[in-house]
């Protein structure tokens, strides 16, 4: 089988594509997935660069989420059979023609989700729902300002916020990213390259609610960096700021007096750690999201699809802000 291998830590261009023997028969409790698509995520780039908190032994195959068909089933596996369409979060190993995953990680796919959408679904949508509902306590009618709204987490957040009855405002740097967010239900946009974020978001909150509110109710921030303070200042009474990621590479320092004012809260989000600690709760969250997809309540956007050989380019495009939505690799 072909696999993308990280032999030494460095930029994505240091990845190599090699021919490897097929995987052996799966061990007890595991299944082999014949990969139809692998999702490309920010965390994969961090692994390859050696910038993630976990440093796998070299060489390793990156790729943390996958969709495909079950090709082999190990002893002791119940409820899954060869040929089933599944998605799985796997940490590493997805950028290949085959990947081995614990049977518990493989989830059957609804017909509504093709392989490319399925492979780019879990991290973005689970983070979005976990952030908005479990951490942010979003209630219907509230206004959610989404930073990086044309990125993977951002677009999923717009979709989920709309499904939960919120009013999403999409903040993004390009027209293509803002358009993608509007297509998923963003009710207003902020052009972060030209418009003052705080003033515009506050004015939009009044417009969208039809009430003289003092600002937005939630900020979803997977970006960090220069916009963070303006976004914080855009929060109204009782507003919550969700700290989700630092795609800009810059971890901002925020003035604590802005948290005191208007009884705001700063809320950390670590979906990955929560999902590992509470696998049953994560399984229930994912099942709920997949049901919503099946019902048409969520509409995940089709990702750009690159051949497996272009894994380095896909990671580079992500790191260079060129991707609208998600990218998937197809072996
Ligand atoms: N806390 C959690 O549980 C959790 C879970 C999953 C992911 N994350 C993290 O969330 C972050 C975003 O993930 P994602 O999948 O949404 O990434 P993405 O698809 O690459 O989107 C990130 C967005 O950030 C903005 N950005 C600003 N400066 C950037 C820069 N220098 N480089 C790249 N992007 C920049 C871009 O939007 P504009 O061009 O519009 O500015 C871009 O669209 C990552 O750091 C990831 O590790 C956190």
């Amino acid at each position: 089988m072909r696999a993308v291998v990280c032999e030494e830590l460095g930029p994505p261009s240091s990845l190599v594509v090699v021919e490897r023997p097929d995987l052996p028969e799966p061990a007890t409790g595991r299944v082999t997935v014949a990969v139809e698509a692998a999702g490309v995520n920010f965390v994969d780039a961090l692994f390859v660069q050696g910038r993630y908190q976990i440093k796998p032994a070299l060489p390793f195959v990156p790729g943390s989420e996958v969709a495909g068909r079950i090709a082999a089933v190990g002893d002791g596996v119940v409820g899954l059979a060869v040929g089933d369409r599944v998605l799985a979060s796997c940490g590493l190993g997805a950028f290949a023609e085959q990947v081995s995953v614990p049977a518990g990680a493989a989830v059957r796919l609804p017909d509504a989700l093709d392989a490319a959408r399925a492979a780019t679904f879990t991290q973005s949508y689970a983070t979005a729902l976990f952030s908005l509902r479990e951490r942010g306590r979003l209630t219907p009618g509230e206004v959610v300002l989404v930073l990086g709204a044309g990125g993977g987490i951002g677009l999923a957040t717009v979709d989920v916020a709309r499904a939960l009855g919120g009013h999403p405002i999409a903040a993004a740097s390009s027209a293509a990213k803002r358009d993608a967010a509007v297509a998923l239900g963003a009710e207003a946009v902020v052009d972060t390259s030209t418009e003052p974020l705080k003033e515009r978001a506050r004015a939009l909150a009044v417009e969208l609610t039809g009430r003289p509110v003092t600002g937005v109710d939630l900020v979803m921030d997977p970006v960090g960096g220069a916009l963070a303070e303006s976004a914080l200042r855009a929060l109204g009474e009782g507003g919550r700021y969700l700290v989700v990621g630092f795609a800009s590479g810059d971890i901002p320092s925020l003035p604590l007096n802005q948290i005191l004012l208007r009884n705001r809260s700063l809320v950390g989000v670590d979906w990955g750690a929560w999902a590992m600690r509470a696998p049953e709760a994560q399984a229930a969250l994912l099942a709920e999201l997949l049901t919503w997809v099946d019902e048409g309540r969520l509409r995940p956007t089709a990702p750009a699809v690159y051949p497996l050989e272009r894994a380095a380019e896909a990671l580079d495009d992500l790191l260079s802000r060129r991707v609208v939505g998600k990218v998937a690799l197809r072996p």
Side-chain angles (χ1 to χ4, degrees):
M1 66 162 180
R2 278 169 306 140
V4 176
V5 178
C6 179
E7 293 179 338
E8 56 185 81
L9 300 178
S13 57
S14 55
L15 291 170
V16 292
V17 182
V18 301
E19 192 64 40
R20 284 185 158 184
D22 281 353
L23 294 181
E25 281 303 303
T28 302
R30 299 187 71 88
V31 296
T32 299
V33 177
V35 177
E36 290 178 6
V40 177
N41 285 289
F42 222 85
V43 68
D44 307 321
L46 297 180
F47 269 120
V48 170
Q49 294 168 313
R51 289 173 52 214
Y52 194 61
Q53 53 262 40
I54 300 165
K55 313 251 185 293
L58 294 167
F60 66 87
V61 176
S64 48
E65 57 182 338
V66 69
R69 284 189 189 274
I70 295 197
V73 176
D75 289 341
V77 173
V78 284
L80 291 172
V82 170
D84 284 351
R85 292 181 71 232
V86 294
L87 61 70
S89 292
C90 52
L92 293 170
F95 293 177
E97 285 180 296
Q98 297 179 336
V99 62
S100 166
V101 301
V107 177
R108 277 229 191 73
L109 283 182
D111 291 339
L113 216 50
D114 58 56
R117 280 188 178 86
T120 49
F121 183 75
T122 305
Q123 285 190 31
S124 300
Y125 274 80
T127 301
L129 182 56
F130 178 68
S131 301
L132 292 178
R133 194 174 63 184
E134 317 307 323
R135 303 294 292 139
R137 306 282 167 210
L138 173 66
T139 56
E142 287 195 314
V143 178
V144 185
L145 172 61
V146 184
L147 305 186
I153 301 284
L155 275 186
T157 302
V158 167
D159 203 11
V160 172
R162 181 194 45 75
L164 293 174
H167 299 292
I169 299 175
S173 66
S174 75
K177 289 180 178 179
R178 293 189 295 276
D179 289 350
V182 168
L184 273 188
E187 293 178 27
V189 297
V190 183
D191 178 348
T192 50
S193 51
T194 59
E195 293 183 295
L197 183 64
K198 178 187 76 176
E199 289 77 7
R200 178 94 173 113
R202 281 185 181 174
L204 287 170
V206 174
E207 242 174 68
L208 293 176
T209 57
R211 289 181 285 114
V213 293
T214 49
V216 304
D217 299 291
L218 278 161
V219 168
M220 176 78 171
D221 184 7
V223 183
L227 292 177
E229 187 170 336
S230 307
L232 173 60
R233 288 173 187 266
L235 280 174
E237 183 66 32
R240 290 87 74 204
Y241 190 109
L242 298 165
V243 182
V244 177
F246 309 103
S248 66
D250 177 14
I251 299 177
S253 300
L254 294 170
L256 279 183
N257 66 314
Q258 287 298 322
I259 306 297
L260 175 153
L261 292 171
R262 297 198 170 137
N263 296 294
R264 294 164 173 148
S265 309
L266 202 50
V267 182
V269 177
D270 191 345
W271 164 73
W274 171 81
M276 265 198 275
R277 238 191 2 260
E280 282 166 16
Q282 161 57 19
L285 186 100
L286 181 56
E288 189 176 7
L289 285 165
L290 290 172
T291 303
W292 291 356
V293 172
D294 218 19
E295 293 169 352
R297 197 169 155 196
L298 293 175
R299 299 166 302 179
T301 312
V305 178
Y306 296 13
L308 186 67
E309 286 69 18
R310 284 169 57 197
E313 187 185 331
L315 288 170
D316 247 350
D317 285 352
L318 201 64
L319 293 173
S320 313
R321 286 164 94 167
R322 283 193 289 270
V323 174
V324 178
K326 301 286 299 178
V327 190
L329 299 174
R330 204 187 285 283

